[in-house]
Amino acid sequence: MTRFLAALLGMALAAGAATASAQSITVALNADIRSTNPGVNRDDNTDAVVLHMVEGLVGYRANGSVAPLLAESVERSDDGKTYSFRLRQGVTFHNGAPLTSADVLWSWNRYMDPKTDWRCRSDFDGRNGLKVEKVEAPDDRTVTMTLDHASALFLDALARTDCGGTAILHKDSLKPDGSWDKPVGTGPFRFGEWRRGEYVTVSRFDGYQSPPGDKPDGMVGAKRTALASVKFLVVPDASTAKAALASGAVDVAQVLETDVPELNKTKTVEAGFFPSTTKHTFLFQTRDPLLGNVKLRQAIAASLDIPQLVAAVSNGEGKPNNSGVPVTSAYYDAVQAKGYAYDPAKAKALLKEAGYKGEPIKIIANKRVHVPSFNAAVIAQAMMQAVGINAQIEVLEWVTQLDRYNTGNYQMMSFSYSGRLDPALSYEQFSGPKDSQPRKVWDDPAVQDLITKASTISDEAQRQAVFDELHKRQMEATPLIIFSNGQEAWAHTKRVQGADPWEGKARVWGARVVGN
Amino acid sequence: MLHFVFKRIAMAVPTLLIMAVTVFVLIRLIPGDPAALMLGDLATPASLADLRERLGLDQSLPVQFGIWFGNVLRGDFGISITSSQPVLPLVLDRFWISARVVLIAVLLASLFAVPAGMIAAWRQNSGTDLFLVGTATLLYSIPTFWLGLLLLLLFGLELNWLPVVGYVSFSEDPRAALLYIVMPVMTLFLHEMGVLIRMSRASTLEVLRLDYITHARAKGLSETAVLWRHAFKNAFGPTWTLIGLVLGNLLGGIAVVETVFTIPGLGRLLVDAIFARDYPVIQGCLLFVAFVYVAVNLVVDLLYPVFDPRVTAE
Amino acid sequence: MKRLSLNVVLGGAIIGIVIAGAVLGAVWTPYDPLKINFVARLAPPGAAHWLGTDEFGRDVLSRLMAAAATSMLISLSTVAAAGLLGTAVGLVSGYARGWTDRILMAFNDALLAFPAILLALGLLTVAGANSSGIIVALGLAYTPSVARIVRGTVLSLREREFVEASRVMGNSEFYTVLRHILPNCVGPMTVLATSMFGWVLLAESALSFLGLGVPPPAPTWGNMLAGSRPFIAQAVWLGIFPGLCISLTLLGINLLGDALRDRLDPRMRGAS
Amino acid sequence: MTDTILPGALLDVENLSLAVTATGTKVVRGVSFTVAPGEIVGIVGESGSGKTLAARSIMALQPPAIRRTAGTIRFEGRDLAGLSAKALRDLRGGRIGMVFQEPMTSLNPSMTIGRQLEEGLAVHQRQQSAEGRRAQVLDMLRRVGIADPDGALGAYPHQFSGGMRQRIMLASVMLLQPALLIADEPTTALDAVVQRDVLELMVGLTRAHGTAVLMISHDLSMVARYTDRIIVMRKGEIVEQGRSDELLRAPRHPYTRALLSAMPRRQPARPIPPVATPIIEVRDLVVEYGGRRGLFRKEAGKRALHGLSLSIMPREVVALVGGSGSGKTTLGRAIAGLLPPSAGTIRYAGRPIGAGGAEWADYRRNCQMVFQDPYSSLDPRMTIGALVGEALRTVPDMGRGEKAERVVEVLSEVGLGKPFADRYPHELSGGQRQRVAIARAVVRRPAFVIADEPVSALDVTVRAQVLELFADLQARHGFSCLFISHDLGVVEQVADRVVVMQDGRIVEQGDRDTVFDHPAHPYTRRLLSAIPALEPAGEGGVRLKWRFDDAVPVAVPS
């Protein structure tokens, strides 16, 4: 009976597998996408899926610099205020329409319309400082944008993945009534079907024109795909995702760090770690009566064996980094590499200097998967306790922690910042005036000036000097302890190659199926 | 009969009303702001204000409630904050997915458990009874999610008989769909069987003590006839009520099983909505769950006279 | 008779061991249940660690023992909270009848119409995910069931002749409720309390599983089991032992509950 | 019609012993008796005598916890122990039928009458066609006096009254024309009037078919009326058996004599001194049930009492009699203040007992009640001392010591004594509990006691003792009493005056001797004709006498 049942099930499974065509893969998403509307209703999964279908004028390279994408070239005026984008030739939308500067204008105007709810509108309308004053299309292939002041970060902002890469869309993306329908973009894949809560499918866009390059490089480089179709399957649970990889139901998935060695032992799956610009940190509330004392913060930093901690939370794969400059960045050099030293004796001495008398210090953490928040807190707690700090852990649900983060209501918090490829933006994430923005942790006007400088100037050597200075000041003031950048564990079945993720997001245009 | 139905529905109205208010207030007591969550650490004061305005979160609570409740009365449960989908179709879609698993599991469990409980009662204190009660108590004592994990481990990974992930709808591929819901159904089936065997046994024991059973035996009926013709219907009444309760509860509450087996059902939708502070979805889900509970129990009560003609629908 | 004694013996033995473990766990465990040891990460059961270690190298047996105390305490407090509140509501509702009853029961039914676990989920996010939050949330979530049952008992008790006798003697309603009705609710309440104890244990672990239980690092069986999920294939002992603890305790509780029901539930009496 | 192999004995039970399997406690010990074809034999005994178990074990239908330890049962010459399950089933119903005590639970509530009746026929007369069975069922229903047999086929048991159900039960058994009918207290749960009708019907039917009957009852006088032979059982043993008239006239065993002497009989009438104000005066009392005040309307309820008036004099015992549903209990509860009257007044010692206020408190102190069921009228969680003492709780001007003394005093008055004060109700027998209930009622020295069926749940011998105690106490303390009972025998013994109720109205009232000897209302006559009266005969025995025998319709269509 059992054997019969097994045979029956085996047959059914085989039949199921045979229907999948050769160049099709399934990618696991840990949550459903929120929409297919670039930069409007989004999260990381949404961005990952949407960016397979749409492209903007410019995009990130793997090292965080910005390169042309739909543009062939970008020229900046001498005063730094006018950008001129020359569109690539022969690019067509999924519906076959050629890309022209009119489409860019239409897309831009749509984004700047409050009704669209583009999340990055405030970054371009002056409310966050930068203002695009004018957008014009002198000819079919040229678009010029004029800013109110020079900015080193304008192109960066356009390329941001959470803004949907400021994707250029065709009008057909909207329904006749002006509401969102589906992405008609220029990306390597075209939209297939979205079954809410279940999956999204995309299929190869045969008329795709790839930007130059011989291999994928961030959002640019070679993007022409060998895959006929991709199914993004919603698998909310990490254990199930792992099981699905093992059984071949899923080809690519983010997995838990702890599962990597085990998965690598299997015959069919390969797992590895992929860096991102995410910052894993411990935040301090510098207005806390206790932690306002820099000596105490330094003591905590000295009490942490950061390489050990990073190894523990990343299964030995992560690289410590105490700097706001991501390890993958072009600006990461010897200065940034010099971080905190593990020194329990010094920690104890500093505690004494700080007049610490065993008051409890509460570390807020959460249990989201794929961020080391809780694990890092547990280990930090143990290390802090070892030098006599009365560390306690309070585990909060993520939304609640976010609420505390936004209001600054905490002593210490195990927190991960989402990726910022440019170091200036990275520093900006945690620096600023607490009075107006309680979520900022580093409130120092001098630092603010340095960041503004790095945001305005474009010269790389000058920027490097600013970032080096910022790093030294950060090590001294210790408003937070950055301990590493993201090191996400991903796995794929061995029938698939080249499905490496980028910045914590699935990116499969470089993938191909090599066996079954 | 019709009068009874109307009366029961009328009686449910205050219940649902109280629930609506409770749900609305309760979820707004939960710390956390859906707008802040959506923007995460990338939020700027300007983008946050934009989003809050778009979601209507900048209004005062009574105004928000008034708008929401007015819309609900018109059949509009609002738009999900996270997926921008209308809530009612979303809830209904997810509900059918959960309902399929729950209905199959409870039906199967009833089919097995009711006779098993009756046999246990009939052979009270025998080895069979001890075995059945023991098994039932054991099954009933295993948390469903653990049971689910063990099944996943066994059938999905060790034996590799069943697909471990995902969900295929019946309209798409009925055979695959069946394979995908085997384990969730089995998990619920085993657990509920434990519950129902115990109930069926207890109510059968009670019935078997009554004179009409002895009377039936005294008439010379075989034990099969005594059990089926005389004990079954009478003992099934209480079990039937319990099945109704179980159904009512499960239809809204299999979040755990749905999480284990990644079924995009109602329970999962609700849990995700709670984590995302997706107020319209939470409100819609809970209201719907309560409505289903009330409706299921109404149907159960209406059908009760089939098993016990003494109870008339009045 | 035979089954009853078997129930009591088996159930009693299981619960006895659990309570002993919990009491011992509160004062002494083989290792510090919170002590991290990177060298011994995910060690399988062996001589040093009888039940193995978890992903932080913490001793599973020690954590199970510490967890027993926490789990028992949470379950007991929740049962007590729901029992007291539910009894109060049920008593008032059942004895007062009329509009008081109708209003109270309308609220009660509204809460009953939520599956308890969902209600607890909602309440828990308000009360905060920690031991006291769980007690409040689960306590409130189970109150309606208790109130329903107590009300039912009161309604049937108030028709009993000894309650009428008390009225004939000229006793006040308050006295009658306190002296005659409340003590006679104790029997059904005890039976209910045992099943509720089991429900709470289950609910706590299910909440942990959904990510809202007692926050780590403090161990409970529920959060240990939930935390073992990623290691289900790799370190199966992490899930098996807490799972067994929950299932066995529930089994013990259910067995004892059955025995109690046989003793206290008048409908079940007179089987022989 | 009988086709017995052994003409002497249809059923021969020899040395039967039964025991509880788990504990080994013997419940029936060495019982031997026979039933001849066509003979009607009664087994009489009080609760715990083992009579029901002995009878049920004939068909191996005793509860599963009871085991046969010794003895043989022969039916039509065959030893039943050796029968296969199949043969036993053929015997059940086909040759031996059984009628049960409780008409409320002896028919399957979820099956139509027609199916339940046909079912037996289908098993035992397989060659019959469905139409033939139906015709037979209809005929039998008609014979047991069901007015609309066709309608009854599709009806469910709950649509019939207790008496009707017992007739249906009888029909279902007699359909199969068994050689022996075992009737286990077939009429105990019925009203006196209905009881007699059903018994007459049963005897008539079985005589017509030549069916032997083994009738089990606690009521000696009832059994004696219909049986040829009586077996008296006590504590699992047979103490005496013999021809019914002889056994009554000349009982040999002391227990049989005790049973007979425990039968209630009339006491000489007591003079009640006339007083101007009655202690209780009820005027135009109306009670309605189920009337509910909705939000917008007031629903009219079911009227249980239709404007009654009644007075009770000091020291007087007034009996309230009537069938079930006559409203007698409702009246008692209304007077006790447990039910709010919808209209009318109740006066105590001339003053209206308005709810609340001093009059109400005074009335509460002076009016006490004894309930029917001694198992439910005592709070199981209180000791006897506390139960009785509780009645003194609200009595003003009484010290703690004084109260304790009074409790002990009253406990010994009811024949229990001080040691009982620390016991709990479940440790007491039914009779002892009822004594506690009486003690609780009289401990406050009330002026008026309502006794609602105080002895109907008790065994005959215990009942006699409790009645005697009650009479003693009444004589000693001189309280007035409203004595509610459906048992006219008891009423005849205790009442000074009798009030007869039917359908919520008083149909007749008067002093006891007038009502019993010269009933004016036909309903009273029917009530009285349903119960036997006893006349002392020589040798310590009695002779049965039926009143107004002419009034009883003995109609058995054949």
Side-chain angles (χ1 to χ4, degrees), chain B residues 113-187:
Chain B
V114 171
M118 287 182 66
I119 288 169
W122 179 54
R123 285 265 167 263
Q124 195 192 0
N125 295 337
S126 70
T128 318
D129 181 28
L130 202 65
F131 169 76
L132 284 170
V133 170
T135 313
T137 311
L138 198 67
L139 285 176
Y140 162 79
S141 301
I142 301 179
T144 43
F145 60 92
W146 199 49
L147 192 62
L149 283 176
L150 292 178
L151 290 178
L152 201 75
L153 198 64
L154 180 65
F155 294 110
L157 295 181
E158 290 297 319
L159 300 172
N160 205 12
W161 284 1
L162 293 167
V164 291
V165 56
Y167 171 81
V168 174
S169 71
F170 271 88
S171 52
E172 220 172 289
D173 180 353
R175 199 173 50 177
L178 214 58
L179 283 181
Y180 277 96
I181 65 167
V182 167
M183 277 201 281
V185 163
M186 194 148 55
T187 307

Side-chain angles (χ1 to χ4, degrees), chain C residues 164 167 169 175 180 184, chain D residues 333 364 376 379 390 444:
Chain C
E164 299 208 317
R167 293 170 65 196
M169 275 183 258
Y175 174 88
H180 294 288
N184 282 290
Chain D
R333 288 164 52 86
R364 266 274 161 269
S376 116
D379 188 336
E390 192 191 9
R444 284 214 308 224

